[in-house]
Amino acid sequence: GVRVVLSGLRSVDRMATFIDSEFEIKTDDNYIENPKSPTGYRARHIVVIQNGLRIEIQLRTQLQNLWADMVELHTVVGAVDLKHGHGPKEALDFFSELSELLSMLESGVDVALEHKMAKLTQVEKLLDLAAERLDSLNEQKKEIVDEISSKM
């Protein structure tokens, strides 16, 4: 498959229309209009048939891609599978709410400054927790390396 990151929602719609005109569509899962629960994942997954092959094309906006990268980072650092809806309820709720906020911003909805600031504060807290987890993992790694080195 392939992932296409586009500038905004209009570009995603135009690309989906182009794909529809050029390929045989097998499925078109629009997670932009119907986000995945419980994380709030948004993208458009279009499966086409080309020369007998099944090819998945993921269409995302830049903000949707940023959001997905943050989920991946939290999954790696937090050692939980948020991508597939597993993990602490607080983290799942946070990413779901952040997805909604980003969606409103992309759609041109006027979001109150207080709401934006509250979400940014949540992002900062999450990044601080990720940094603490990385520090802890680096310390554990150092201890293991020191222990192995002392036995040589």
Side-chain angles (χ1 to χ4, degrees), residues 77 125-138:
V77 172
K125 287 179 183 176
L126 187 63
L127 291 173
D128 287 345
L129 288 172
E132 289 174 17
R133 178 74 175 139
L134 278 174
D135 289 345
S136 174
L137 290 171
N138 282 330

Side-chain angles (χ1 to χ4, degrees), residues 62-125:
Q62 292 171 344
L63 285 177
Q64 291 164 352
N65 196 59
L66 174 65
W67 177 93
D69 287 346
M70 289 175 61
V71 170
E72 290 282 345
L73 176 64
H74 189 78
T75 295
V76 169
V77 172
V80 293
D81 190 11
L82 291 181
K83 182 177 176 177
H84 295 103
H86 306 290
K89 181 180 180 338
E90 300 81 24
L92 293 169
D93 289 348
F94 165 77
F95 281 110
S96 179
E97 290 175 23
L98 182 59
S99 171
E100 181 65 25
L101 174 66
L102 295 175
S103 175
M104 290 188 299
L105 291 171
E106 283 188 316
S107 299
V109 174
D110 186 22
V111 180
L113 181 60
E114 299 82 32
H115 189 67
K116 291 176 190 174
M117 293 305 295
K119 292 299 172 209
L120 287 174
T121 300
Q122 287 180 326
V123 169
E124 287 175 342
K125 287 179 183 176

Side-chain angles (χ1 to χ4, degrees), residues 33-46:
E33 291 181 7
N34 302 299
K36 279 190 175 183
S37 183
T39 62
Y41 174 80
R42 292 172 194 265
R44 192 150 174 192
H45 292 210
I46 302 171

